[in-house]
Amino acid sequence: MKPLLEVKDVCLSYHTLSGETPALSHISFDLMPGEFLAIVGPSGCGKSTLLNLICGLLTAEQGSILMDGVPVTRGNARIGYMLQKDYLLEWRSIYKNVLLGLEIRHELTPEKLSYIEEMLTAYGLDKFRNARPSQLSGGMRQRAALIRTLALKPDLLLLDEPFSALDYQTRLHVSDDIGRILSKAHKPAILVTHDISEAISMADRVVILSRRPATVQRIVPIDLGLTARTPLASRNAPGFKTYFNLIWKELNKNA
Ligand code: ADP
Ligand code: MG
């Protein structure tokens, strides 16, 4: 099987008036079709920078990023990007917010609209379609943002700490929801998080980055031996703690 995404020897520094900040140093990893990858690393090590490179918002100074063998470019319609803030527009209803991406791309086809209906029902938002974002809980807002992203049917989903604004309880539920949604759709995804438990509970492999400039310190495949894997089930699996300790130690090696 060929990888969907290849990150090869990528380096990037930020150049500002106060000097040069090396952010990424010789980063390499692959993402296989249908795979869920988590990226963990210390705060400020370059995780968001890496996602910005993958979606083509930034260009690597060295190395290459290929999707199906072709270099990624800015505005790649095959990649969906979900951020920590949901960026829902308060002056639009939830339904209008969910349609936004399709509207911008002039893709409001009957087929896409019925896909949105399906998701609104499946994720418990159909009764809130006329509500404003501020009337919804944090978890519901994040689900609305996810539907907006998935409506574009991206081949790869990038998630940059999408749950970190939520309280712990909500966070568990929403990550469980999103984990289920993505695994049902066999959607390949890259989740950036600073939460080790979240990474283990959701990912097929965890890429551990070092402190800035980030290098790939280690890649840990996760196998919890579960048939029906959900984030909540993963957290209760016997192997969970072993992975947690392994990744914890790895992250603190250079602290
Ligand atoms: P993370 O997401 O892991 O917290 P970032 O990728 O946001 O880290 O940032 C990595 C480093 O690059 C940080 O030290 C940050 O201050 C710096 N940085 C990020 N964006 C810029 C920018 N636009 N200009 C200059 N430095 C930046
Ligand atoms: Mg970040």
Side-chain angles (χ1 to χ4, degrees):
M1 208 181 346
K2 282 193 183 145
L4 174 71
L5 185 83
E6 296 163 86
V7 177
K8 292 182 181 177
D9 198 34
V10 163
C11 299
L12 184 111
S13 297
Y14 287 108
H15 301 274
T16 58
L17 287 177
S18 53
E20 185 183 339
T21 309
L24 302 174
S25 171
H26 304 282
I27 301 281
S28 296
F29 62 86
D30 287 345
L31 175 84
M32 300 310 284
E35 192 178 30
F36 196 122
L37 216 63
I39 296 179
V40 297
S43 162
C45 79
K47 301 181 293 297
S48 298
T49 302
L50 184 55
L51 290 191
N52 286 334
L53 280 162
I54 292 172
C55 73
L57 284 174
L58 291 172
T59 310
E61 289 178 321
Q62 190 189 314
S64 56
I65 301 181
L66 309 175
M67 194 164 172
D68 283 330
V70 180
V72 294
T73 50
R74 203 190 179 103
N76 189 333
R78 297 184 60 195
I79 298 179
Y81 202 165
M82 194 166 135
L83 302 160
Q84 178 179 347
K85 266 196 73 185
D86 52 54
Y87 291 104
L88 296 175
L89 303 171
E90 183 56 26
W91 48 272
R92 286 191 147 217
S93 65
I94 288 302
Y95 185 60
K96 287 272 183 183
N97 265 287
V98 163
L99 292 189
L100 189 63
L102 290 174
E103 212 176 286
I104 291 170
R105 286 199 196 159
H106 304 288
E107 288 180 16
L108 289 171
T109 59
E111 182 203 325
K112 296 236 162 108
L113 288 174
S114 80
Y115 181 47
I116 285 183
E117 286 308 316
E118 227 175 84
M119 287 193 288
L120 284 171
T121 310
Y123 313 149
L125 287 177
D126 53 331
K127 291 199 182 70
F128 297 89
R129 66 175 66 229
N130 296 320
R132 301 285 156 173
S134 62
Q135 295 173 291
L136 267 57
S137 68
M140 290 164 92
R141 294 171 59 113
Q142 210 54 340
R143 268 182 289 177
L146 180 70
I147 294 176
R148 185 182 56 193
T149 311
L150 289 178
L152 301 168
K153 298 225 170 184
D155 295 328
L156 169 64
L157 201 59
L158 306 179
L159 304 152
D160 194 355
E161 311 214 22
F163 316 122
S164 51
L166 307 175
D167 63 79
Y168 186 69
Q169 281 285 59
T170 312
R171 190 179 175 130
L172 281 184
H173 283 296
V174 177
S175 66
D176 203 45
D177 277 353
I178 290 184
R180 267 180 229 267
I181 294 166
L182 298 180
S183 70
K184 220 171 120 191
H186 293 291
K187 266 296 172 223
I190 302 180
L191 168 75
V192 158
T193 176
H194 56 254
D195 184 329
I196 302 174
S197 303
E198 198 166 279
I200 302 167
S201 68
M202 296 182 80
D204 300 311
R205 286 189 297 151
V206 178
V207 177
I208 304 171
L209 298 181
S210 70
R211 287 170 63 185
R212 194 179 62 74
T215 55
V216 175
Q217 192 167 316
R218 188 161 170 179
I219 298 180
V220 182
I222 307 292
D223 180 7
L224 294 164
L226 297 169
T227 41
R229 182 151 174 229
T230 68
L232 283 179
S234 298
R235 286 175 199 258
N236 294 319
F240 187 86
K241 219 174 154 193
T242 314
Y243 284 118
F244 188 95
N245 290 334
L246 175 84
I247 296 171
W248 173 263
K249 274 196 196 128
E250 203 63 52
L251 279 172
N252 286 287
K253 254 186 192 164
N254 309 310

